[in-house]
Amino acid sequence: METILSIKNLSKRYGSVQALKDISFEIKKGHVYGILGPNGSGKSTTLGIVLNVVNKTSGEYSWFDGKMETHEALKKVGAIIERPNFYPYMTAQENLRLVCKIKDISYAKVMEKLQLVGLDDRKDSKFSTFSLGMKQRLAIASALLNDPEILILDEPTNGLDPQGIHQIRDIIKQIASQGTTILLASHLLDEVEKVCTHVLVLRKGLVLYSGSVHGMSSNEGFFELKAEDTANLIQVLKTHPALESIKQEEGKVFVYLKSPLEAAALNKFLCEKNINLSHLVKRKHSLEEQFLELTKNAKPTLKN
Ligand code: ADP
Ligand code: MG
């Protein structure tokens, strides 16, 4: 699969502040990537470096398999990393036409992109009359005028009302469905969960997790069990090949798995060893629980 962006061992210091520590990841064509982390974790710094507006301290990054110089490559990148800013007294259409003129893009793109972000019926309204959500949608339309390979968004729904948030997320999903690769930074777990296929979790400039969004929550899960003879239950469980670890809490036995195992199969296995369960539930951690677990733990745990 084609690599759009490759980042290797990137670090950034602002004076005494270590904003990024040795981060590495790859962006492949056609996926939607999220950089997820609390405020100050280094998301905007990462985007700034690859967009050539912040200087890295050490490490490497390369666009499009290193086949192009950064300034050439950036012509194929659409990015919104600041609050959208257009001429307030000009209409949506006039503003986008101006961008076309500057970037030498056909005017035909203006209506196409206004339609994509649902602003075609407001094309003749002045920018100054737009809500924040509409301004953000106009910025997305503007970034897409030259049909970029990748769209980069920094906290795309910050400050928007629920309806505005919903509209932006729908638009991002639609853009992705047309094959545009997307990289977005967000401190909102549910945003990343709803919109992204892949995620890089950052905390204080360190990568805590990188991989699929699905992979972050779809560990094999765990069982909650109860039986009369807890000691015997644990003894027998330890002989099962799918078992990762066992924890005992509040009279229950928690069984964590390293490979798939259904409740019925576990029950049968225990029955055959003469253990009758009085309680059997299979559970999974939600993505939120996984995220909180990850970010409270100071030790980085890399996983792919
Ligand atoms: P995020 O986007 O995840 O909120 P940032 O990348 O903006 O995080 O910031 C990461 C860290 O770097 C923070 O500690 C922030 O205070 C610091 N930082 C960011 N920009 C600058 C700057 N221009 N000068 C000094 N420190 C900065
Ligand atoms: Mg930021």
Side-chain angles (χ1 to χ4, degrees), residues 55-265:
N55 290 323
K56 63 187 167 114
T57 304
S58 62
E60 306 292 332
Y61 66 91
S62 71
W63 285 101
F64 306 109
D65 290 317
K67 289 185 202 123
M68 257 176 261
E69 291 294 316
T70 299
H71 74 277
E72 272 305 308
L74 290 179
K75 289 182 187 162
K76 303 211 283 177
V77 176
I80 307 165
I81 54 171
E82 281 164 357
R83 275 279 156 109
N85 216 350
F86 293 92
Y87 288 102
Y89 53 87
M90 279 166 51
T91 66
Q93 182 171 232
E94 286 165 353
N95 269 295
L96 292 195
R97 278 175 165 251
L98 185 62
V99 175
C100 285
K101 200 169 176 184
I102 294 165
K103 293 190 178 171
D104 197 22
I105 299 163
S106 156
Y107 286 156
K109 288 285 169 190
V110 171
M111 279 314 290
E112 178 192 323
K113 302 306 177 190
L114 282 175
Q115 264 160 18
L116 178 63
V117 301
L119 286 175
D120 43 324
D121 57 338
R122 295 297 301 271
K123 67 179 168 51
D124 296 321
S125 301
K126 287 196 171 92
F127 178 72
S128 59
T129 68
F130 277 10
S131 69
L132 188 59
M134 292 163 79
K135 287 177 177 171
Q136 185 68 338
R137 283 189 276 148
L138 187 65
I140 292 175
S142 175
L144 291 174
L145 282 172
N146 63 341
D147 294 318
E149 286 276 337
I150 177 171
L151 179 65
I152 296 182
L153 304 157
D154 194 358
E155 307 270 7
T157 60
N158 254 15
L160 303 189
D161 60 17
Q163 200 198 356
I165 291 173
H166 186 72
Q167 284 170 334
I168 295 285
R169 289 180 184 169
D170 273 353
I171 289 166
I172 294 172
K173 283 191 244 178
Q174 205 193 326
I175 295 164
S177 74
Q178 294 174 357
T180 306
T181 307
I182 292 172
L183 171 61
L184 69 86
S186 177
H187 68 282
L188 302 170
L189 175 73
D190 77 312
E191 181 148 292
V192 169
E193 191 174 12
K194 284 188 178 121
V195 174
C196 302
T197 55
H198 292 73
V199 62
L200 183 83
V201 180
L202 283 185
R203 181 174 163 272
K204 295 186 179 168
L206 277 170
V207 177
L208 300 182
Y209 172 86
S210 112
S212 71
V213 167
H214 179 68
M216 193 165 148
S217 59
S218 77
N219 51 356
E220 300 299 343
F222 61 96
F223 287 103
E224 258 180 46
L225 307 177
K226 260 192 204 171
E228 197 125 295
D229 186 347
T230 306
N232 186 34
L233 172 64
I234 291 175
Q235 199 76 38
V236 171
L237 282 169
K238 281 183 177 163
T239 65
H240 197 287
L243 180 120
E244 167 85 31
S245 63
I246 300 178
K247 197 170 80 180
Q248 230 181 310
E249 219 172 84
E250 294 163 2
K252 286 182 197 157
V253 175
F254 293 83
V255 180
Y256 296 86
L257 301 173
K258 61 184 171 198
S259 53
L261 180 64
E262 289 310 316

